[in-house]
């Protein structure tokens, strides 16, 4: 898959894809649209996802992805829609999520995310939709 350097649009929604996401996915340098929703993908999101500098839309919702959201996600400055709803993600939100300057929709509902909300969420001036219900988030709502 990493050899598809001209690929801009990848939609594999609602299939029976299993296993971990390959680290070679980070080599898809032209990829703008990535939809792998409703599969059986497992394991952590590879940190190489941060290398997808052209990415604008990403949907990994309704899989079996585990682990924390990698801090490298903050490098994806062109992403406007990030959907990881309905997985088995754990850990707290990285502060780097506040670097997603183009983000208007963040959907992390129905996971097992813990910890408090980072104040850096307040830096998301384009954010319109924030879905965090059905997690294990604690603490107070940041004033920022």
């Amino acid at each position: 898959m990493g050899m598809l350097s001209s690929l801009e649009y990848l939609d594999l929604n609602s299939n029976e894809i299993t296993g971990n996401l390959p680290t070679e996915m980070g080599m898809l340098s032209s990829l703008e649209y990535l939809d792998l929703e409703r599969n059986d993908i497992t394991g952590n999101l590879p940190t190489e996802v941060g290398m997808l500098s052209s990415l604008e839309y990403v949907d990994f919702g309704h899989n079996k992805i585990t682990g924390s959201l990698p801090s490298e996600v903050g490098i994806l400055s062109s992403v406007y829609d990030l959907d990881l709803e309905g997985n088995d993600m754990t850990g707290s939100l990285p502060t780097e999520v506040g670097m997603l300057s183009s983000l208007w929709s963040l959907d992390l509902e129905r996971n097992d995310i813990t910890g408090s909300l980072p104040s850096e969420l307040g830096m998301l001036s384009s954010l319109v939709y924030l879905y965090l219900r059905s997690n294990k988030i604690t603490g107070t709502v940041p004033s920022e």
Side-chain angles (χ1 to χ4, degrees), residues 7 12 30 35-36 42 47 78 84 91 115 117 122 127:
L7 186 67
L12 294 169
S30 299
D35 189 347
L36 294 170
T42 57
T47 58
S78 298
L84 287 153
L117 295 175
L127 193 65

Side-chain angles (χ1 to χ4, degrees), residues 39-64:
N39 281 285
D40 288 314
I41 297 169
T42 57
N44 296 346
L45 283 180
T47 58
E48 289 79 5
V49 162
M51 296 170 56
L52 300 172
S53 58
S54 298
L55 199 60
E56 297 176 358
Y57 176 91
V58 59
D59 190 344
F60 292 124
H62 303 283
N63 280 285
K64 297 173 184 166

Side-chain angles (χ1 to χ4, degrees), residues 117-132:
L117 295 175
S119 61
E120 289 79 4
L121 282 176
M123 296 169 50
L124 300 174
S125 60
S126 298
L127 193 65
V128 177
Y129 300 104
L130 178 60
Y131 303 99
L132 295 172

Side-chain angles (χ1 to χ4, degrees), residues 63-85:
N63 280 285
K64 297 173 184 166
I65 296 172
T66 57
S68 299
L69 189 63
S71 61
E72 289 79 5
V73 152
I75 301 169
L76 302 175
S77 60
S78 298
V79 168
Y80 64 84
D81 193 334
L82 178 59
D83 187 343
L84 287 153
E85 172 191 0

Side-chain angles (χ1 to χ4, degrees), residues 87 89-91 107-114 131-138:
N87 279 287
M89 298 191 73
T90 58
D107 191 348
L108 296 170
E109 65 182 307
R110 295 186 203 129
N111 278 285
D112 288 315
I113 295 171
T114 59
Y131 303 99
L132 295 172
R133 69 178 175 196
S134 299
N135 278 288
K136 297 176 181 170
I137 296 170
T138 58

